[in-house]
Structure formats: structure tokens, C-alpha cells
């Protein structure tokens, strides 16, 4: 407990939903780049981990979404993460986060071009990532059309956040899958 | 089925050989196999008889019936032979009857679901079984000490613990037999079922340990023996698992090289699994665990390696073996019970055991669930716990174990046998009978067999990746992390090693070729079966947007009639919209190539029914598409020819309207595209006449809007939003009824009429007009498209199709009236506000009178002005 005080102020602790996990997460964050991150966070130092550091993690090498996740959760949108971003990412996936928030972030992850709609090109990217470009463009196009058609309630040819949420609510597994427990 | 009893069974008088003989009575030689075959035959015939009556089997589980049959047969044998014969022998049970069942459950285990819940399963299997054994044993011992039992029951603490260990294990055979018919949700099922499989290790160890303790006698037990007991638990369970994995590996490796000897591929699967069982049994490891894990682990690689035909063979053979084993087990269980020489009844022991196993299981489940729920994302709620406690069925394993006891060492064996028989019968018959009503009564979440939508499939994969990535970044090695690791490992090493190169690399190409071949087959099949098709078509009303109600009767008829072609035909006629078909196609595309096959197997496990696998579905799909195409072409020609059928069609329209209003009870119909007809109408029929359709429906919509406005002021807001295209309705989850299950989409006749009726009545009245309007649009537009010959798209024909509609509508109103009234279920004010023509019954006559006038007018006017006018009239009469 004493250790915690030296890193974070109580206000900082309150600000995150993951209070009791904060220390562990902090050390994890620091482990990524011990030379960059100071041990004292009470004065809110301005530290950012470049994406290269995160993206080069051996575990992530095969993950098709690594860059996208980093981009979505980082403040600057380029995948460079501050501790806040790091914790945000975690709290979104924690149990306590409301489902809408999770849906929102899932939506953001899909929304590659940040236009607040999942349009066809976004979906194509997703499908290609998931299938490792093993489908022909024609097949990808068909799949995307189908996906949009299934979920597109307002028929505008792209998925808005509402469309997405509605679909997610109907998918029974969402709550149980989009979630990390430490 | 009873080799050991063979020689004793027929002491046949040995006749002296009398020279050369033409024929010789050789019963002795064939006796054993003959009896085996005879019993299997009896059991299978009994099964057929049971299933003759659907009512009986829907209420009484098959296992109960089989036990009762066994009792009856046992009684007959007893009466004829004057002594009980043909018992369930432990050796026979463990060596021949049990392995197929366990292999079957392991091989067809929904593996992802299983591993998702492995924590809970292991807890219940290990902790739960230990708890049950010790508490039951100790409590019974307490009962004995308290002097409540017959003094004839000579048993000490160890004897009771031994008894507790064999009586407390939930039995996989019984659980499967009963739960299979109950259809609880997958999680619940997998937990109870997984527990019953995995607790074998615990049971075996406890049984052996206590058995040796009893044999040693309490005086000679040292502390090291207890330690040995604990150690042997780990040895037995982990060793059994290791044996299973080893053989799974071997099996996968072997099937990799069977390219030229395809014909014996299935044999390897059975042989190696059986050898795994025997090997584990030989070194007294947990054989059940060995086979279970062998089945679970080898499946992926074996399926990829062996040919399609071998796959089918494996599947069917496994199911057949398991099913007949189960049948025989239950029948012999019943027959064994009549042997009174083994019985020694003690009421206190029997009642005490029954009470304790129920009580302690319930307590154990509640306690464990309490702990588990702290770690589970989706907690097991109280109802689940009730079902889990109540679903703890005991079965043949307990019986076989108790028979195996040594009477010299365990003095109270006869009492234990009797008690075990009662417990098994009680759990299988009483609990088996009542669990279904209980599940219904408690409203336990049932399993919904729905096909995942494309979205779900896609997002599930995506989420898995995302979560694994986040876990990596956060450095948390959670479930996803390990699964991801495993997938990587599997992909890089195991699959390379164990799968055929062709299966591993060229899966997509193979799939493509296969697809093409299938199409060719389907086409040729359709060509051959063409006559069946046309005959059935004539019997079917022509509109593809017809929905379930009227159709179900026809389809049922067709289904009952049974021929293969008809069977598929009715599938076609359930109007799979183009969307469904594309859906399926997309699923195939995705399935074939989603990277890292983290597939979610449909969590269905059934010993007796084989769910169609990917390829079968594909066949069906292609067949359907072809049939559909043919139906369409047929229809389009037919429509050109026959316009005299309009009357029939109108009637049908009335019916259809009712159906529609029943089915589409959502305000924003767009969200419920899954209701097949909605898309089917415009897409399938009016491909050639899309233009007119859009025109006409627009005009229709306009006047529809007007009417609702006046008829029902409260609808104003809703209508205003909904009508201009009815597309940009905001998604309003609050008034969305339970989403139509995909089963409904798949098989519209499954759309439960009763349920739908309930939805309608519980729906707020505001909603109804909107969808009735939609329904109206649908029916009108489809009518128009039918009335108008397709292919003409220019202006003049506007009038041409408008006229028949106008003429027919009043007719329909008057004709469809009686039917309408009889079947409409809306409150009257609603149906009024739902201003469909046929509802405004009083107008019918007036309109008919008006008709000539209007028709005349019609000649000179374009449609849009005319329509509102006519409708205005009817509106006025409403007010």
C-alpha cells in the first residue's frame, strides 16, 4: 500500500475503475520501457510510449489488430500510449465497464478511417485481417455487403454506432467475450 | 451379451454320436455370439417400439423405458429359467459397453464450450465428487452408529466411505440419456456433462483407495497410505489424460498417411481409441479420461486428414455403437435388478442414501457455485444450481462398481447392491421423469439452436483477436492469452506435423472444387427429380411471400410423405429469401478461410442425432438454390398464363395478411429482416418488375399514411416517422419483441404461431398499425407484381396492373371477410385503425357499387390521383 502512495495520488487512484489493479498495471506499463517511465507518477509526468515499442512485443506479432487497438486507445491516434491510455484500455475491457462503452470502443476499433461509420472499406479491412488476405476481393466484397446488410438498420449502406450497438445487443456472446479479467 | 454366463446357460444333454449325421445341432458353438446378437436385437426393437408413440417418448425418457423393459424381461427370464440370468457384468460393462459411449462423447464434445468452462467442470468433478463421497459416507456411518440401521449391516466407516465414493459419482451415461432430451442451455449442459465425464478419475481413485483400505482393515492403515491415496489421484487423472493425449497424437499421425488405404481410416479411429482405453485400464489409470481426451484432441486433425466418406462413417458408426451400448446398459440394468439373491434390503440405508445424495449434492453445488461465481463472468444463477443438483443422476457405473465389491471383504455388499439399485432407479426414473417438467416450470434457459449471423461470426473472431492483443499489451496472461498461444503453437507445429499437407495448405482450393462438384451434382439431381417438383408446385399456392401458417400444413404433408426430393422441396418452399441464401454462402466463404480456426462449434451434443456438418449443409444449400431458381422460372411463366386464379389468390391474400400481421410485430420492420417473407416478396418475384413496384408502393404508401392519420391520431408520430420509406426509423430497442430466432428464419414453419400470437397481444396497440401498413404494402405490391405480367416496364402498363388490383380489391374485401373476422386477433379498435381494405368491411359493398364508376374514371386518369380518392371514401366511412 505504501508503495502505491509514492506512485499515484489518491485522486489519480479514484479516477480509474481499476484501482486495485493499478499498481500491477503500472509496473507492466513501466516494464515496456523502464528507461522512459519514471517511478513517480504523482506529478503527472508527460510520458508516452511510442507505438513501435508496443507493436514489437513478441506476443503481438501475429495479432492482426495490434496497431488498430493501439491507435484507438491512444490519445494522439497514432498508437503512442500514455499511462492514461494504457489504463483506459484496460478499464474499457474490465467487468465494470458498461456494455455501451465496450460497444463504443469495439466500434471504434472497426472504424478504420475514423469517420464514425463502419463503411465498406472498414469492413473489408477487418475481413482481410481476419482471413489473412486469403479471400479473393470478390469474396471479401460479398461478405462485407452481407454484413452491412444484416446490421444496417437505417439502410444507408454503412453501419452507424446505433446499428452496431443494436447488433451487439442481439449477439448474446458479446458480453462474455469482450472482456478481460486480471 | 453375456459371455460369462454362457456355459452355464445350457447344460444340453450330450447325445451320443450316432454315426454320420446330416446336420448337427451346434448351439454350444454359436451360443455366445448368438445371445449377444439377440439381446442387441431385442433392445433395438424395443427402441423402435418406444418411438412409435411420440407422446410417450416426449414425456418418459428412453432410459426409463429401457429400465422398465429390462425389469419386465428379467421377470420373464426369472419365471422361465427359475433363476436370474443375463446380468450386467462389470467386466462386460467396463470393457465393451462403456468405451463407445465415452469415445462418442469425447469425439463430439463441443470443445470450445468445454474448455471455456473447464474451470467450473473441474471444480464440480473433483471437489464436488470428493465432497459428495465423504459427506455421504460419513453421514451414513453416523446413521449406522446411531443404531438406525439393521444390525445385519456390518460395515465400518471405511465401508461406508467406499460406498459413498461409488454412489456419489454422477454417471455420464445417465446424464446424457436424460439431458439430451431436456435441452437446457449449453453452459448448463456442458457443466453437468463434463462433470460426469471427468469425475471418473476421482471415483476410480476413491473406490480403489477405500477398497484397499477395507481389505487392509482399519487397523493396518498407515499415514503413508493416505498420502499414497492423494498421490494416486494425481497419477490416475493426469496419467489417464496423458495416455489419451498420446493416443490422440498417434491417431492423428497415422491418419496422415492413409492416403492410399482410405477404406480402413475409420478403423484406426476406433481401434486406437479403444487401445487407449485398454492401455489406461491396464495400468489402472482413468480409462474414461483417456478416451475422452483422446476423442477431444484427435478430432480436429483426424477430420482434416481422413476423407469425407470416412468422416461420415466414423460419425455414424460411433453414434450407432454408443447408442446401442446405452440401450443395452439400461436394459441390463433393469434385468439385473430382479436378481433377489443379491439383494438385502434395509430401509434406513436406502432412504438415508437417497436423502443424503440429494441433500449433499445440492449443498455441494450451492457452495461450489458460490465460490465459482466470484470468478465467472456469467454467474450460474439459482435456477441453474437447482437443475445441476437435480441433474446428478447415478447410473450403471455405480452399479458395476458395487457388483465388483468382494463379498468376503465388504460384509454389507448385499445391502449396498440393493441400495445402489434403488438409487440408480430412483435417479434415472423419478428424476429423469421430473426433470423435464422441472426445467419447464423453472423456465430454465433452453438452448436456442440458431445459426450465428455473419456479423456474430465475424465479430467473434475479431473480438478474440482484440482481446488477445489487449491481454498481451497489458501483460496479463489470461484465458485469451493461453488460447492464443495454443492456437499459434497448433498452427505452427502440431498442424504441420499431424495434418496432411494437402489438408493443411490447400483447404480452400479443395473447398472450391468440392463446391463446384456439388453444384453439378445438385443440378443433375434437380433434373432427375423434376417431375416431383412440378407436381408439388402445382399444389402450392404461387406467391413466394406466403408465410408459415397456410404453408406449414402443406409442408408438413410433404414432409410426412417422406421422399427425399419432397423433403428438400419443402425446405425450398419455406421461402428462403435471397438474403438467407447469400447468408449461407457467405458463411461458407468465411468458414473456409477465417484465419486461425477458432471455430465455435455449435454446442450441441446428441448421441442419437447427427447434426449436419459443414459439407452437408453446403449440399443442401446448393440444392435449395437450384430448386429455388427453377421455381422462380416456373412461376414467372405460370403467372403469364393464369390470371383466372385471382379469386383463390385473393383469399390467400387475406390469409397472408393475417399471417403478416402476426409475424411482423415490430414497428420498424427493417430490424426484423429475418422474417423471410419480408425480403422475399420484392426480391424474388419482382426482379423483373422492380420499377413498377417502387412506383406503386410509393403511391400506396402515401394514401396509407393519410388514412392512418385520420383513423388514429395517436399513431401520428409513429407513422410520420415510419412511413416515408419506413427505413429511417430510429432503432428503438424498447419495443422490439424478442428477436426472431434464426431457427425461425431457417425454417419458417418453426415460427411458433402460439408465441407470435402472444407477442401480438402483448404489443402496445400503437405498433400494430405500422406493421399492418407494411403488411399491406407488401401484400399489395406482391399482388400487383403478380397481376402484372413481368417484363413490361414502361408507362402504359401502369394502368394495366392498376386495374386488376382495383377490381379485385373490393372482391377480396367481401370474400375475405368471414375469414378475416374469424382469425383476426387484434382488439377491434386496432384492426379498425389498421385500415387495410378488408377490415373496412362495410365499405365492401359500397365500393363494389362504386367500382364501375371508378374503373371508368380510371381509363382516363393516371393511377395516383385515383387511388387516394377511392381510399378517401373508405376512410370517410371509418370516421
Amino acid at each position: 500500500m505504501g508503495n502505491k502512495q509514492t506512485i499515484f495520488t489518491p485522486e489519480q487512484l479514484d479516477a480509474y475503475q481499476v484501482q486495485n489493479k493499478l499498481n500491477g498495471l503500472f509496473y507492466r506499463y513501466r516494464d515496456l520501457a523502464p528507461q522512459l517511465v519514471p517511478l513517480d507518477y504523482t506529478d503527472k509526468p508527460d510520458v508516452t510510449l511510442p507505438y513501435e515499442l508496443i507493436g514489437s512485443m513478441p506476443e503481438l506479432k501475429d495479432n492482426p489488430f495490434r496497431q488498430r487497438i493501439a491507435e484507438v486507445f491512444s490519445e494522439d491516434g497514432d498508437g503512442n500510449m500514455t499511462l492514461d491510455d494504457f489504463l483506459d484500455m484496460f478499464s474499457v475491457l474490465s467487468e465494470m465497464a458498461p456494455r455501451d462503452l465496450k460497444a463504443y470502443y469495439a466500434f471504434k476499433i472497426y472504424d478504420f478511417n475514423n469517420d464514425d461509420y463502419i463503411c465498406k472499406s472498414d469492413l473489408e479491412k477487418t475481413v482481410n485481417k481476419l482471413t489473412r488476405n486469403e479471400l479473393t476481393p470478390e469474396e471479401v466484397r460479398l461478405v462485407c455487403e452481407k454484413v452491412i446488410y444484416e446490421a444496417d438498420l437505417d439502410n444507408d449502406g454503412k453501419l452507424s454506432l446505433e446499428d452496431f450497438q443494436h447488433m451487439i445487443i442481439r449477439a448474446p456472446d458479446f458480453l462474455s467475450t469482450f472482456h478481460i479479467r486480471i | 451379451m453375456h459371455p460369462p454366463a454362457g456355459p452355464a446357460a445350457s447344460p444340453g444333454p450330450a447325445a451320443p454320436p450316432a454315426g454320420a449325421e446330416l446336420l448337427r445341432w451346434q448351439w454350444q458353438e454359436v451360443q455366445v455370439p448368438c445371445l449377444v446378437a439377440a439381446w442387441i436385437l431385442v433392445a433395438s426393437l424395443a427402441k423402435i417400439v418406444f418411438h412409435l408413440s411420440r407422446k410417450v417418448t416426449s414425456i418418459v425418457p428412453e432410459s426409463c423405458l429401457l429400465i422398465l423393459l429390462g425389469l419386465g424381461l428379467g421377470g420373464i427370464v426369472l419365471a422361465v429359467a427359475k433363476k436370474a440370468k443375463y446380468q450386467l457384468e462389470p467386466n462386460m460393462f467396463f470393457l465393451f459397453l462403456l468405451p463407445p459411449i465415452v469415445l462418442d462423447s469425447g469425439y463430439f464434445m463441443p470443445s470450445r464450450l468445454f474448455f471455456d468452462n473447464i474451470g467450473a467442470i473441474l471444480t464440480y468433478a473433483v471437489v464436488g465428487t470428493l465432497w459428495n463421497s465423504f459427506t455421504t459416507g460419513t453421514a451414513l456411518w453416523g446413521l449406522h452408529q446411531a443404531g438406525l440401521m439393521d444390525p445385519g449391516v456390518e460395515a465400518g466407516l471405511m465401508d461406508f466411505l467406499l460406498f459413498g465414493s461409488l454412489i456419489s459419482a454422477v454417471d455420464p451415461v445417465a446424464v446424457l440419456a436424460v439431458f439430451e432430451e431436456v435441452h437446457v442451455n449449453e453452459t448448463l449442459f456442458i457443466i453437468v456433462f463434463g462433470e460426469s465425464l471427468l469425475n471418473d478419475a476421482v471415483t476410480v481413485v476413491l473406490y480403489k483407495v477405500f477398497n484397499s483400505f477395507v481389505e487392509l482393515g482399519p487397523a493396518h492403515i498407515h499415514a503413508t497410505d493416505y498420502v499414497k491415496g492423494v498421490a494416486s489421484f494425481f497419477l490416475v487423472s493426469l496419467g489417464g489424460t496423458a495416455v489419451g493425449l498420446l493416443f490422440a497424437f498417434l491417431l492423428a499421425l497415422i491418419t496422415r498417411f492413409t492416403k492410399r488405404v482410405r477404406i480402413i481410416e475409420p478403423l484406426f479411429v476406433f481401434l486406437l481409441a479403444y487401445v487407449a482405453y485398454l492401455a489406461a485400464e491396464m495400468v489402472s489409470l482413468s480409462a474414461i479420461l483417456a478416451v475422452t481426451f483422446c476423442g477431444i484432441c484427435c478430432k480436429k486433425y483426424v477430420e482434416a486428414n481422413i476423407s469425407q466418406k470416412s468422416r461420415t462413417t466414423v460419425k455414424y458408426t460411433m453414434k450407432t455403437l454408443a447408442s446401442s451400448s446405452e440401450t443395452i446398459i439400461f436394459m441390463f440394468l433393469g434385468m439385473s435388478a430382479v436378481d433377489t439373491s443379491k439383494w438385502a434390503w434395509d430401509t434406513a440405508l436406502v432412504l438415508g442414501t437417497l436423502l443424503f445424495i440429494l441433500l449433499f449434492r445440492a449443498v455441494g453445488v450451492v457452495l461450489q457455485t458460490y465460490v465459482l461465481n466470484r470468478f465467472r463472468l456469467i454467474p450460474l444463477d439459482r435456477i441453474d444450481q437447482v437443475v445441476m443438483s437435480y441433474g446428478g443422476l447415478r447410473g450403471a457405473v455405480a452399479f458395476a462398481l458395487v457388483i465388483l465389491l468382494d463379498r468376503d471383504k465388504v460384509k454389507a455388499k448385499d445391502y449396498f447392491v440393493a441400495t445402489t439399485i434403488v438409487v440408480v432407479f430412483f435417479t434415472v426414473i423419478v428424476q429423469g421423469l421430473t426433470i423435464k417438467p422441472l426445467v419447464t416450470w423453472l423456465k430454465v434457459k433452453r438452448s436456442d439452436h440458431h445459426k450465428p449471423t455473419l456479423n456474430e461470426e465475424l465479430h467473434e473472431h475479431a473480438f478474440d483477436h482484440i482481446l488477445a492483443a489487449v491481454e498481451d499489451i497489458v501483460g496479463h496472461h489470461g484465458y485469451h492469452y493461453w488460447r492464443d498461444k495454443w492456437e499459434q503453437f497448433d498452427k505452427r507445429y502440431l498442424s504441420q506435423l499431424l495434418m496432411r499437407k494437402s489438408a493443411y495448405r490447400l483447404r480452400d482450393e479443395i473447398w472450391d472444387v468440392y463446391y463446384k462438384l456439388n453444384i453439378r451434382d445438385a443440378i443433375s439431381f434437380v433434373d432427375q427429380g423434376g417431375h416431383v417438383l412440378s407436381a408439388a408446385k402445382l399444389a402450392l399456392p404461387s406467391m413466394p411471400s406466403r408465410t408459415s401458417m397456410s404453408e406449414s400444413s402443406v409442408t408438413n404433408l410433404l414432409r410426412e410423405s417422406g421422399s427425399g426430393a419432397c423433403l428438400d422441396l419443402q425446405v425450398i418452399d419455406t421461402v428462403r429469401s435471397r438474403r438467407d441464401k447469400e447468408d449461407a454462402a457467405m458463411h461458407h466463404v468465411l468458414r473456409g478461410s477465417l484465419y486461425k480456426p477458432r471455430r465455435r462449434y455449435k454446442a450441441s451434443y446428441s448421441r442419437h442425432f447427427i447434426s449436419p456438418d459443414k459439407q452437408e449443409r453446403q449440399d443442401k444449400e446448393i440444392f435449395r438454390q437450384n430448386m429455388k431458381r427453377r421455381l422462380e422460372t416456373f412461376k414467372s411463366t405460370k403467372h403469364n398464363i393464369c390470371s383466372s386464379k385471382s379469386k383463390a389468390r385473393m383469399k390467400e391474400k387475406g390469409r397472408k395478411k393475417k399471417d403478416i400481421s402476426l409475424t411482423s410485430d415490430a414497428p420498424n420492420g427493417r430490424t426484423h429482416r429475418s422474417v423471410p417473407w419480408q425480403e422475399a416478396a420484392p426480391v424474388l418475384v419482382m426482379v423483373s418488375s422492380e420499377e413498377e413496384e417502387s412506383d406503386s408502393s410509393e403511391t400506396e404508401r402515401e394514401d396509407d399514411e393519410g388514412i392512418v392519420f385520420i383513423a388514429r391520431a395517436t399513431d401520428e408520430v409513429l407513422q410520420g416517422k415510419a412511413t416515408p420509406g419506413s427505413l429511417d426509423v430510429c432503432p428503438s430497442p424498447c419495443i422490439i419483441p424478442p428477436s426472431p430466432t434464426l431457427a425461425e428464419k431457417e425454417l419458417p414453419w418453426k415460427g411458433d404461431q402460439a408465441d407470435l400470437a402472444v407477442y401480438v397481444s402483448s404489443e402496445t396497440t400503437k405498433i400494430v398499425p405500422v406493421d399492418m401498413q407494411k403488411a399491406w404494402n407488401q401484400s399489395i405490391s406482391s399482388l400487383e407484381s403478380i397481376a402484372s405480367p413481368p417484363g413490361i416496364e414502361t408507362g402504359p402498363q401502369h394502368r394495366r396492373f392498376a386495374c386488376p388490383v382495383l377490381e379485385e380489391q373490393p372482391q377480396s374485401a367481401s370474400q375475405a371477410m368471414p375469414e378475416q373476422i374469424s382469425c383476426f386477433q387484434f382488439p377491434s379498435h386496432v384492426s379498425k385503425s389498421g385500415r387495410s381494405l378488408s377490415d373496412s368491411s362495410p365499405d365492401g359493398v359500397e365500393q363494389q357499387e362504386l367500382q364501375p364508376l371508378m374503373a371508368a374514371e380510371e381509363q382516363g386518369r393516371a393511377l395516383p390521383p385515383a387511388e387516394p380518392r377511392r381510399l378517401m371514401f373508405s376512410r370517410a366511412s371509418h370516421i
Side-chain angles (χ1 to χ4, degrees), chain A residues 25 28 57 62-63 110 130 132 135 143 146-147 149-150 152 155 166-167 173-174 176-177 180-181, chain B residues 375 454-455 459-460 462-463 465 467 472 474-476 488 492 579 583 586 593 595 670 673 679:
Chain A
L25 286 175
R28 173 66 196 174
M57 285 165 66
D62 289 309
N63 200 302
Y110 285 124
L130 279 175
R132 295 213 145 167
L135 290 182
V143 168
K146 284 301 303 171
V147 167
Y149 188 73
E150 258 183 20
D152 185 15
N155 244 17
H166 185 257
M167 180 196 64
D173 289 326
F174 177 68
S176 63
T177 48
I180 287 183
R181 186 200 295 263
Chain B
F375 302 99
L454 208 55
N455 272 298
H459 296 317
E460 240 161 52
F463 285 163
H465 286 298
L467 284 171
D472 285 338
V474 177
H476 167 59
Q488 298 291 341
R492 264 190 223 142
R579 175 174 165 274
D583 231 26
M586 288 304 106
S593 50
Y595 132 69
R670 298 300 297 189
R673 296 204 199 110
E679 297 308 308

Side-chain angles (χ1 to χ4, degrees), chain A residues 24-25 28-29 32 54 57-66 69-70 73 81 86 89-90 93 95 102 105-107 109-110 118 123 126-132 134-135 138-155 159 162-164 166-182, chain B residues 112 373-378 448 450 452-478 480-481 484-485 488 491-492 508 511-512 578-580 582-584 586-587 589-590 592-596 600 668 670-674 679 683 727-729 731-733 736 739-740 742 745:
Chain A
L25 286 175
R28 173 66 196 174
Y29 178 70
L32 291 175
I54 295 168
M57 285 165 66
E59 298 98 320
L60 283 178
K61 209 168 52 185
D62 289 309
N63 200 302
F65 286 97
R66 60 183 186 282
I69 291 170
F73 285 100
M81 299 194 98
F86 194 75
M89 177 173 75
F90 196 74
L93 293 175
E95 281 168 83
K102 292 185 181 209
Y105 273 98
F107 180 81
I109 290 173
Y110 285 124
I118 299 181
L123 270 177
T126 310
V127 172
N128 273 330
K129 276 177 187 295
L130 279 175
T131 57
R132 295 213 145 167
E134 276 173 16
L135 290 182
E138 173 72 1
E139 282 170 328
V140 172
R141 196 180 54 76
L142 280 173
V143 168
C144 294
E145 274 174 12
K146 284 301 303 171
V147 167
I148 289 186
Y149 188 73
E150 258 183 20
D152 185 15
L153 301 180
D154 46 15
N155 244 17
L159 303 186
E162 284 78 27
D163 293 336
F164 189 76
H166 185 257
M167 180 196 64
I168 286 299
I169 286 166
R170 282 178 45 184
D173 289 326
F174 177 68
L175 190 81
S176 63
T177 48
F178 207 54
H179 169 87
I180 287 183
R181 186 200 295 263
I182 282 198
Chain B
R112 172 150 179 178
N373 273 349
R374 301 176 151 238
F375 302 99
R376 278 184 75 86
L377 179 62
I378 303 170
D448 51 339
H450 78 165
T453 61
L454 208 55
N455 272 298
E456 282 172 33
E457 190 155 330
L458 202 67
H459 296 317
E460 240 161 52
H461 281 263
F463 285 163
D464 280 350
H465 286 298
I466 292 170
L467 284 171
V470 174
E471 279 187 356
D472 285 338
I473 295 176
V474 177
H476 167 59
H477 294 185
H480 293 278
Y481 172 82
D484 202 56
K485 282 273 119 168
Q488 298 291 341
K491 195 173 153 66
R492 264 190 223 142
D508 289 324
W511 180 78
D512 277 341
R578 177 193 279 182
R579 175 174 165 274
D580 288 344
E582 281 177 6
D583 231 26
M586 288 304 106
H587 274 294
V589 170
L590 269 186
S593 50
L594 271 179
Y595 132 69
K596 276 203 269 175
R600 249 182 203 239
N668 40 358
R670 298 300 297 189
T671 62
H672 287 271
R673 296 204 199 110
S674 26
E679 297 308 308
V683 174
L727 302 179
D728 40 359
V729 186
S732 47
I736 292 169
S739 58
L742 294 183
K745 174 173 75 180

Side-chain angles (χ1 to χ4, degrees), chain B residues 695-713:
Chain B
D695 282 3
S696 57
S697 62
E698 230 161 58
T699 59
E700 292 288 337
R701 262 183 206 129
E702 272 168 26
D703 23 88
D704 284 348
E705 198 177 56
I707 289 180
V708 176
F709 254 54
I710 295 169
R712 215 180 139 73

Side-chain angles (χ1 to χ4, degrees), chain B residues 196-332:
Chain B
S196 70
L197 275 177
L198 298 195
N199 69 15
D200 173 65
V202 183
T203 315
V204 167
V205 172
L206 281 180
Y207 179 79
K208 280 181 183 148
V209 168
F210 288 131
N211 211 359
S212 62
F213 283 1
V214 169
E215 286 175 9
L216 280 173
H220 308 285
I221 302 171
H222 303 292
T224 47
D225 291 325
Y226 293 106
V227 178
K228 271 186 201 160
V230 175
S232 81
F233 163 70
F234 288 102
L235 197 65
V236 164
S237 52
L238 296 180
T241 312
V243 169
L245 294 181
L246 178 73
F247 276 92
F249 183 81
L250 272 180
L251 178 53
L253 203 59
I254 289 177
T255 50
R256 199 186 152 176
F257 302 106
T258 50
K259 194 177 173 188
R260 318 218 161 185
V261 279
R262 291 275 189 207
I263 199 76
I264 54 166
E265 273 171 348
L267 189 64
F268 281 117
V269 178
F270 295 103
L271 219 50
L272 276 171
Y274 191 51
V275 173
Y277 185 90
L278 293 179
E281 191 76 48
M282 194 167 58
V283 286
S284 71
L285 298 173
S286 169
I288 293 188
L289 278 184
V291 175
T292 307
F293 278 97
C294 181
I296 292 180
C297 298
C298 74
K299 187 179 186 196
K300 178 182 167 192
Y301 310 107
V302 169
E303 296 267 281
N305 283 337
I306 63 180
S307 71
Q308 170 64 25
K309 275 178 189 156
S310 305
R311 234 172 288 165
T312 315
T313 313
V314 167
K315 201 159 69 178
Y316 278 94
T317 317
M318 219 176 254
K319 291 280 171 200
T320 312
L321 285 178
S323 181
S324 44
S325 291
E326 187 199 68
T327 311
I328 288 165
I329 287 174
F330 280 115
M331 200 175 74
F332 273 80

Side-chain angles (χ1 to χ4, degrees), chain B residues 97-108:
Chain B
L97 292 179
L98 193 55
I101 295 180
V102 180
L103 174 63
D104 174 71
S105 12
Y107 195 74
F108 294 107

